[in-house]
Amino acid sequence: MSTKNPRVAVVGATGAVGREMLKVLEQRNFPASEVVPFSSARSAGTKVTYMDKELTVIELKEDSFEGFDIALFSAGGSTSEKFAPLAAKAGCVVIDNSSAWRMDPKIPLVVPEVNPEDLDWHPGIIANPNCSTIQLVVALKPIHDKAKIKRVVVSTYQAVSGTGQKAINELETQVSRLFNGKEVVSDVYPHQIAFNCLPQIDVFLDNDYTKEEMKMVNETKKIMGDDSIKLTATTVRVPVFYGHSESVNIETVEKLSAVECRNILANFPGITIIDYPEKGHYPMAIDCAGEDDVFVGRIREDDTIDNGLNMWIVADNIRKGAALNTVQIAETLIERGLVRVV
C-alpha cells in the first residue's frame, strides 16, 4: 500500500454523489495510483467516467477492500454499517457520507477547514457530516474562534438534490405537468414540491423536530467541539435543484461588528464573500451550484440583542456538502500521514 499515492475505492459510484466524487478526484488531481468504482449487484456493470476513461463498476462484496488504502462511501447507511468495518479490518480507511457513524463517539466527524485535528484519532472510519451542517460550521468556526458563539438560530432552504435523483426527477415532472394543466403526483415527498416549500426534511421525532434538524444541532456541537453552543434549526425543502441556502442568526459572547465579521470570514479558507447590498449582490443557489466554496452574504448586526449577527450562507450540497468534503478529508489524511488503520 502507498500512503502518498493511495489506491482508492469509490462505493456507490453510480449515484449522484458517487459520480461527483469521481469528478472531484479528477478535477483536484488527487494522487491516486488507481480509482475503482463499486456498487450494489443491481448497478454492477454500469460504466462511469474518470480521467477521460470509462470504468466498469464492480459489485461490492465483503472481500472487495483487500489492497485498497482509502474508500469513499456514498451508498447509504445500511451499506456503510455492513461494509465500513470490513474495509477498516482490511486496512482501508473509510470516509463515509451516510449518517451511520456521525454521532459515534469513537468516529471523528470532520470538515477539514474546521477540525482537521480530529483525524488524528480515527480508527479506520471517518464520518462526513450532513450537507446542511457542513456549510454552516465552515462559517461558524472563525466567528466562534474570535468571539465565542452562545446561540445559533438557523433556517434552511434545501435543494431537492439532497434527496437524490428521484427527487430531482419529481420536481422536473411536477413542473412539466403543472405547465400542461395536468395533476401532479408526489412519490418522493409527502406533498407537492413544485412551486412549494415543505417544512419537513426526514421524519419527525418525539420532540416535534425533524431528524434533519436534530442532525444539525448534534453534528455542529461535535464538529465544533463545544457542547455549550445552543442551536435550534428549522429545515425546509424548496423547489431548487442544486444548492442549499441558510438564514443564520448568531449570538456571541464578545461583540463582533458586521465589518469585523466580514473581514474574518473573508480570510477563512473555503469561504467566498458576496455582500454588496447596494448593488443587489448576495449569494444565490443558482450561482453557487457547481462551485466549491461556502458563500456568505447579507452580513449585518442584529440590533435586538447586544452581540447579534445575521447572515445568509449558500453552498452546493452535492459538492461541498458531500463529494468535495469527502475528498478533502482524504487529501488531509495524506498531508498528515494518517492513511492507516489503528
Side-chain angles (χ1 to χ4, degrees):
M1 292 188 179
S2 170
T3 58
K4 292 185 177 180
N5 298 103
R7 192 164 178 247
V8 178
V10 177
V11 179
T14 60
V17 174
R19 291 177 184 271
E20 194 70 18
M21 285 175 176
L22 291 168
K23 186 188 299 184
V24 172
L25 287 168
E26 179 177 342
Q27 290 173 342
R28 294 175 70 86
N29 296 312
F30 188 84
S33 61
E34 183 182 15
V35 173
V36 181
F38 291 91
S39 73
S40 64
R42 184 183 62 212
S43 299
T46 303
K47 301 289 186 179
V48 293
T49 303
Y50 176 71
M51 299 292 284
D52 298 323
K53 298 178 182 178
E54 281 200 333
L55 305 180
T56 301
V57 179
I58 300 171
E59 180 183 352
L60 183 65
K61 297 181 179 179
E62 293 184 358
D63 61 354
S64 293
F65 299 101
E66 294 295 333
F68 283 93
D69 302 294
I70 297 173
L72 311 181
F73 273 56
S74 186
S78 59
T79 299
S80 295
E81 287 172 357
K82 177 181 178 180
F83 287 97
L86 294 173
K89 188 176 181 180
C92 177
V93 180
V94 173
I95 307 169
D96 179 45
N97 198 52
S98 80
S99 61
W101 304 98
R102 288 175 184 160
M103 296 314 299
D104 188 322
K106 297 178 182 178
I107 305 297
L109 182 68
V110 176
V111 177
E113 297 93 336
V114 178
N115 62 329
E117 65 281 355
D118 283 352
L119 291 173
D120 294 347
W121 50 270
H122 81 79
I125 301 174
I126 300 155
N128 199 52
N130 187 40
C131 48
S132 54
T133 304
I134 289 174
Q135 66 189 73
L136 177 65
V137 297
V138 169
L140 293 185
K141 172 64 173 175
I143 297 171
H144 190 56
D145 287 348
K146 180 67 176 180
K148 189 170 175 57
I149 293 172
K150 289 175 60 178
R151 184 171 185 262
V152 179
V153 180
V154 56
S155 298
T156 72
Y157 307 77
Q158 295 180 223
V160 297
S161 54
T163 311
Q165 187 61 46
K166 289 182 179 179
I168 295 172
N169 296 342
E170 179 157 293
L171 176 56
E172 289 178 335
T173 301
Q174 287 184 357
V175 169
S176 177
R177 291 184 68 85
L178 285 166
F179 274 129
N180 287 282
K182 297 179 181 179
E183 184 179 352
V184 301
V185 176
S186 300
D187 293 322
V188 177
Y189 295 119
H191 305 282
Q192 175 184 317
I193 184 61
F195 309 107
N196 198 17
C197 297
L198 306 181
Q200 175 190 353
I201 299 180
D202 215 319
V203 297
F204 283 101
L205 304 174
D206 290 342
N207 63 357
D208 290 337
Y209 283 80
T210 65
K211 194 173 181 181
E212 181 83 359
E213 289 160 354
M214 294 313 299
K215 282 179 184 178
M216 293 193 73
V217 172
N218 296 323
E219 291 180 19
T220 296
K221 292 181 179 183
K222 181 175 179 179
I223 296 164
M224 300 285 284
D226 192 341
D227 287 337
S228 73
I229 297 173
K230 296 179 179 179
L231 189 147
T232 186
T234 300
T235 57
V236 182
R237 190 72 68 187
V238 296
V240 169
F241 287 113
Y242 297 97
H244 289 352
S245 303
E246 297 174 351
S247 172
V248 185
N249 177 268
I250 303 166
E251 182 181 2
T252 58
V253 174
E254 304 294 332
K255 177 67 176 178
L256 198 64
S257 71
V259 172
E260 290 172 320
C261 180
R262 197 174 291 113
N263 290 336
I264 290 167
L265 293 174
N267 288 293
F268 194 74
I271 291 179
T272 293
I273 300 294
I274 305 176
D275 197 13
Y276 306 99
E278 71 281 1
K279 299 179 181 179
H281 292 175
Y282 34 73
M284 295 185 292
I286 197 169
D287 297 322
C288 299
E291 300 294 328
D292 287 349
D293 274 5
V294 172
F295 294 81
V296 185
R298 297 297 319 279
I299 302 168
R300 59 207 188 278
E301 293 174 36
D302 177 0
D303 58 11
T304 67
I305 54 177
D306 290 337
N307 302 326
L309 294 162
N310 287 301
M311 63 186 62
W312 179 252
I313 303 170
V314 184
D316 186 321
N317 54 295
I318 299 297
R319 285 189 73 87
K320 183 54 182 171
L324 173 63
N325 200 73
T326 304
V327 173
Q328 286 177 310
I329 290 172
E331 292 171 340
T332 308
L333 287 173
I334 295 172
E335 291 169 4
R336 298 173 77 96
L338 298 171
V339 185
R340 80 291 184 269
V341 177
V342 177

